[in-house]
Amino acid sequence: MKIEKRLTDDAVLQELGERLQEKRIEEKLSQADLAEKAGIGKRTVERIESGESTQMSNLIRILRVLNLLERFDAAIPETGTRPMDLMKLKGKSRQRVSRSKQPAKSEKKWKWGDEQ
C-alpha cells in the first residue's frame, strides 16, 4: 500500500509497522535481536510492527539498526534559503519569525500618561 495523505493515522502506522517487520525479516533478525540491538524492549518492537503508537525515539533506534535512518533525509529534506531571503539577511542567519512591524489599523499608538 502506498502511504498517502488520505490514509488515516492508524492505517499509516499499520503500513509502517508491516514494512519494518518485512525489513527486519529480510535482515534475518528476530524481534528479540532487533530489540537488543536497538536498546528497547521486545514488546516495543511487537507494538511498532503491529501498528501501535510509540515514542519517536524508539522508531529512530529501530531505523538506525535496520540502516533506514538516512532515508528520512529524503523524506523530510532540510529547507533551503531562498536567494531573495539571502539578500535581505546579508549573511546573517534567521533566528525567529517576527510579527509585522506596522501596527494594525484598529490599534491606537500607545502614549505615556504625560503625553498629549
Side-chain angles (χ1 to χ4, degrees), residues 98-109:
S98 59
R99 292 179 41 183
S100 175
K101 295 183 190 233
Q102 296 177 348
K105 292 181 181 179
S106 62
E107 293 179 17
K108 292 183 179 180
K109 186 177 176 184

Side-chain angles (χ1 to χ4, degrees), residues 81 84-95:
T81 307
M84 288 303 292
D85 291 339
L86 286 174
M87 286 179 54
K88 289 177 186 175
L89 294 173
K90 297 178 186 167
K92 300 175 192 170
S93 63
R94 189 166 183 167
Q95 299 296 316

Side-chain angles (χ1 to χ4, degrees), residues 25-66:
I25 293 168
E26 182 182 298
E27 295 289 325
K28 298 182 173 93
L29 291 170
S30 68
Q31 287 179 332
D33 292 337
L34 177 59
E36 184 179 336
K37 288 182 179 191
I40 58 177
K42 180 180 176 278
R43 180 67 186 121
T44 301
V45 174
E46 292 170 0
R47 279 196 302 269
I48 290 173
E49 288 184 356
S50 68
E52 294 178 40
S53 184
T54 186
Q55 292 180 358
M56 183 81 82
S57 60
N58 293 331
L59 178 61
I60 290 169
R61 290 175 180 192
I62 288 174
L63 293 173
R64 184 172 280 123
V65 171
L66 297 175

